[in-house]
Amino acid sequence: LNAHIEAQLGHNIDQLQSHNNLSYLTWGYETALNNYSHCDVVIFAGMMTLPHAAVAGRVFAQAGDINMELNQEDLDRVVHTEKTHAIYQALNRGSCRGMVNGEAKEMDVYLFSDDHMELRQTLGEMMPGVVFKDYPNPKHLTLKITKKDLCKEAIIKFLDNFDGDKISSQRIFEGCPGFTQRTKQEALKDLLSARGDLVFIWERVGRSLIRVPEEQ
């Protein structure tokens, strides 16, 4: 990564860092340092969480019971929660930790992760007012958006505008026209899976969705 940056910028990366033009940190410093509030552009790339096996080991250690039951869904939930918490802490190392007239300073963030949609959902709840931007026409990446992906976005948008705490699957499907019944069913199933965007907000009960109560 460092060599790539040097080649692109034509400068020595250490020189850039010494002049506060560029700062780079390895993962693990997200709660340790407070002297990067001058950074108004932050990029997350690479490994941002421990492997599932390492997280499972910590769960067993904290519980003090190596024989405790821990299924894949529970483990995925813990990994996602830990990853989101770490990213949230890392975000607050940058310029948004400062305040202007009672509001956080502006900061641009670029996050590269295969579970970016799930992270968007959770971080959006943790950081009210955050604005997410999509880049529909990338220059250097081949973008493949399936019908199911579009259907997922339609379902999320529909539920974001729904104020109740219980809604039938059929009503959701009716609110998302333009997709086949099978596509809607598969999209909703993915959204409610262990790594789905809605797993922490809605749960399926029979043929309906019930809003998950917020923790006190």
Side-chain angles (χ1 to χ4, degrees):
L1 175 61
N2 293 355
H4 175 70
I5 293 176
E6 288 185 37
Q8 291 294 319
L9 298 178
H11 296 283
N12 182 281
I13 192 167
D14 294 322
Q15 182 179 6
L16 286 171
Q17 186 180 25
S18 65
H19 289 82
N20 289 330
N21 293 321
L22 176 65
S23 300
Y24 58 98
L25 295 170
T26 55
W27 202 247
Y29 285 99
E30 65 272 9
T31 60
L33 302 173
N34 294 324
N35 53 339
Y36 288 87
S37 58
H38 61 281
C39 295
D40 56 2
V41 177
V42 178
I43 301 173
F44 293 107
M47 182 174 290
M48 290 174 279
T49 185
L50 292 172
H52 278 55
V55 175
R58 293 190 175 193
V59 172
F60 294 141
Q62 185 172 352
D65 180 9
I66 197 171
N67 296 314
M68 70 173 290
E69 293 185 7
L70 181 66
N71 60 40
Q72 187 64 48
E73 183 175 350
D74 290 337
L75 179 57
D76 286 342
R77 186 188 296 265
V78 173
V79 171
H80 176 79
T81 301
E82 290 295 314
K83 183 174 182 178
T84 306
H85 173 73
I87 291 174
Y88 176 74
Q89 290 293 329
L91 287 170
N92 282 283
R93 302 305 106 191
S95 62
C96 71
R97 72 181 290 108
M99 303 292 288
V100 176
N101 297 325
E103 296 185 356
K105 290 183 178 180
E106 290 187 3
M107 186 173 79
D108 293 327
V109 179
Y110 297 88
L111 194 155
F112 298 88
S113 182
D114 61 350
D115 58 346
H116 61 93
M117 291 299 292
E118 295 94 325
L119 293 172
R120 173 195 291 218
Q121 184 71 34
T122 312
L123 289 171
E125 297 172 15
M126 298 171 67
M127 306 177 71
V130 67
V131 177
F132 295 98
K133 294 184 178 180
D134 295 314
Y135 293 89
N137 298 305
K139 292 177 61 177
H140 305 291
L141 295 175
T142 301
L143 188 64
K144 296 181 179 179
I145 300 179
T146 65
K147 274 284 189 178
K148 186 166 68 173
D149 292 330
L150 294 174
C151 187
K152 288 181 184 179
E153 294 180 4
I155 291 174
I156 291 174
K157 183 176 181 180
F158 179 83
L159 289 174
D160 283 344
N161 294 319
F162 179 72
D163 294 328
D165 294 324
K166 181 177 181 180
I167 185 172
S168 68
S169 301
Q170 188 58 38
R171 184 175 175 188
I172 296 174
F173 296 160
E174 291 173 353
C176 302
F179 305 96
T180 66
Q181 187 73 4
R182 181 177 179 179
T183 298
K184 294 176 184 178
Q185 291 172 346
E186 292 181 350
L188 184 59
K189 181 180 179 180
D190 283 0
L191 290 171
L192 295 172
S193 66
R195 294 184 59 183
D197 291 6
L198 302 179
V199 65
F200 297 106
I201 308 173
W202 296 90
E203 62 180 345
R204 190 192 293 273
V205 178
R207 296 184 178 180
S208 298
L209 266 60
I210 306 295
R211 194 182 297 273
V212 176
E214 295 183 4
E215 295 184 1
Q216 300 298 322

